[in-house]
Amino acid sequence: QSALTQPASVSGSPGQSITISCTGTSSDVGRSRYVSWYQQRPGKVPKLMIYDATYRPSGVSDRFSGSKSGNTASLTISGLQAEDEADYFCSSYTSSRTLVFGGGTKVTVL
Amino acid sequence: EVELVESGGGLVKPGGSLRLSCVASGFVFSSHGMAWVRQAPGKGLEWVSSISGSGTDTYYADSAKGRFTISRDNARNSVSLQLNSLRAEDTAVYYCAREIAASLTEIDSWGQGTLVTVSS
């Protein structure tokens, strides 16, 4: 049950687009449709931003989008805003019938 | 609106036990799997355990197998996590979470968390 691999930090200026990668294996991200992304602001509870790799829950800004190719999933934030500054975690269902999270990526708005 | 309220956290000595509980409201409880996810201070998220909507299927992370037991009571809209043989590395905020489907897939809602501290 190794954690999914995410960059420790990503930064961008307001209005720019950034992409966070989440790399797993053929036992998790590569074979599962159940890939999710969560936003966690400091001192707050995680919030679901993307599910099934590409779907946005109702109420989540359309500036957030998800994609998946092979063993890597990605979260793109377009039109970066100060309120997007947070930690972002990916997760995937695995072939072992477990859930695995990524180590998290700190997004900084410059 | 989905609401998940955890209780039961606290300070416990290494080797000790604790029982975490979570009461849910705002949705049809038995239609959703439930999970526990923990977060050590300043660290990332770690899935601990899940249970299917019917309660017949349970799943555990390697770190939890043999020490933790998840259970649910659909009549009371509650899910519990029994923590035994606790270690210092189990210190974390434990979140109760709802899964999107009836069985283990993805998490879509989180409680506020309850802090478990394992220390002598």
Side-chain angles (χ1 to χ4, degrees):
Chain A
Q1 292 176 347
S2 299
L4 305 176
T5 300
Q6 296 182 233
S9 62
V10 172
S11 61
S13 300
Q16 285 186 330
S17 292
I18 61 169
T19 296
I20 304 168
S21 61
C22 169
T23 302
T25 69
S26 56
S27 296
D28 39 63
V29 175
R31 64 176 290 163
S32 177
R33 58 178 276 206
Y34 302 122
V35 176
S36 308
W37 288 92
Y38 303 90
Q39 175 193 66
Q40 187 177 33
R41 294 190 173 114
K44 300 297 186 184
V45 168
K47 175 186 175 183
L48 178 66
M49 305 303 284
I50 296 289
Y51 68 98
D52 287 3
T54 63
Y55 292 89
R56 243 184 346 266
S58 142
V60 171
S61 171
D62 60 4
R63 297 186 297 104
F64 291 84
S65 62
S67 63
K68 195 184 86 162
S69 178
N71 296 339
T72 299
S74 298
L75 174 71
T76 297
I77 309 175
S78 306
L80 197 62
Q81 299 179 2
E83 66 195 45
D84 300 331
E85 198 158 277
D87 292 327
Y88 291 83
F89 297 90
C90 60
S91 79
S92 173
Y93 179 68
T94 80
S95 60
S96 303
R97 302 205 296 176
T98 63
L99 271 179
V100 62
F101 284 92
T105 297
K106 182 177 182 61
V107 168
T108 302
V109 181
L110 301 172
Chain B
E1 181 186 355
V2 174
E3 187 173 18
L4 304 170
V5 180
E6 303 97 335
S7 61
L11 175 64
V12 61
K13 289 182 169 51
S17 298
L18 216 51
R19 186 175 182 85
L20 308 183
S21 296
C22 170
V23 176
S25 61
F27 62 100
V28 180
F29 187 66
S30 59
S31 295
H32 292 267
M34 297 297 294
W36 289 93
V37 177
R38 68 185 182 184
Q39 187 169 32
K43 301 296 184 182
L45 301 171
E46 180 189 10
W47 173 77
V48 174
S49 182
S50 290
I51 186 167
S52 61
S54 64
T56 55
D57 298 309
T58 57
Y59 312 89
Y60 296 94
D62 286 345
S63 58
K65 279 180 189 170
R67 299 190 303 129
F68 298 174
T69 303
I70 192 170
S71 60
R72 68 188 293 159
D73 183 342
N74 285 348
R76 300 185 178 188
N77 284 6
S78 68
V79 60
S80 297
L81 186 68
Q82 177 68 40
L83 309 174
N84 295 333
S85 303
L86 283 162
R87 308 163 179 160
E89 54 265 36
D90 295 318
T91 294
V93 172
Y94 284 71
Y95 293 104
C96 171
R98 186 185 81 162
E99 294 175 5
I100 289 177
S103 190
L104 178 60
T105 52
E106 297 167 288
I107 289 168
D108 68 350
S109 300
W110 303 69
Q112 291 300 311
T114 186
L115 176 63
V116 172
T117 303
V118 184
S119 175
S120 54

